Amino acid sequence: MKKMILSPVDNWTGFIARITVGLLILPHGMQKALGSFGGYGFSNTMAFFTETIQIPWILGAFIIITEFIGALFLIAGFATRFWSLIMIALMIGAILTVHAPYGFFMNWGNSGKGEGFEYHIAVIAVALIALINGGGKYSIDKLLVNGQKN
């Protein structure tokens, strides 16, 4: 179980996939948790989650923490397979609760009422690669399982 979750595979594919997912998600987590990059911060994001899209507060807090802390853990390569699976679930949830009504395409021209789900599909695809391959090179997972340097 430890090897499956921590993924001791030493490859570049896992490394690139986990760094990519982490770097794609982290700014969104920072917007929600800290108010960085024009985000609304924890309190206002929680208000949006619970009042506007009406999800339970515990799920809203989980989303914020996952996008912030989970992304950092992916970048570090800690429990890569676990966090990849969580990110996939998070993206599916975002599609189903918010983005599906707006179709596939992102709203680049700001001409629609919302954003489509193409970004979410891309994140799911890369997270699947990290889920299958594990953390790869330079991951904490590898250090924990093998006790070796990357």
Side-chain angles (χ1 to χ4, degrees), residues 8 29 35 47 62 103 114 120 126 128 132 140 150:
F62 177 76
H120 305 85
V126 180
L128 274 170
I132 293 165
I140 293 174
N150 281 312

Side-chain angles (χ1 to χ4, degrees), residues 4 11 19 26 39 62 69 76 104 133 143-144:
M4 182 180 76
N11 62 46
I19 295 293
L26 182 60
F62 177 76
I69 304 299
F104 179 77
N133 282 278
L143 288 173
L144 292 173

Side-chain angles (χ1 to χ4, degrees), residues 55-125:
I55 61 174
W57 71 268
I58 192 78
L59 183 56
F62 177 76
I63 291 167
I64 295 169
I65 292 165
T66 296
E67 286 190 8
F68 185 55
I69 304 299
L72 290 172
F73 283 158
L74 275 173
I75 292 166
F78 178 70
T80 301
R81 288 188 166 126
F82 171 79
W83 287 109
S84 295
L85 184 62
I86 296 298
M87 294 299 173
I88 291 166
L90 190 71
M91 293 296 106
I92 291 170
I95 291 169
L96 295 176
T97 59
V98 178
H99 300 281
Y102 304 111
F104 179 77
F105 294 103
M106 293 180 67
N107 187 8
W108 292 104
N110 210 22
S111 58
K113 293 182 179 181
E115 296 286 344
F117 53 86
E118 66 181 310
Y119 164 82
H120 305 85
I121 296 295
V123 171
I124 288 169

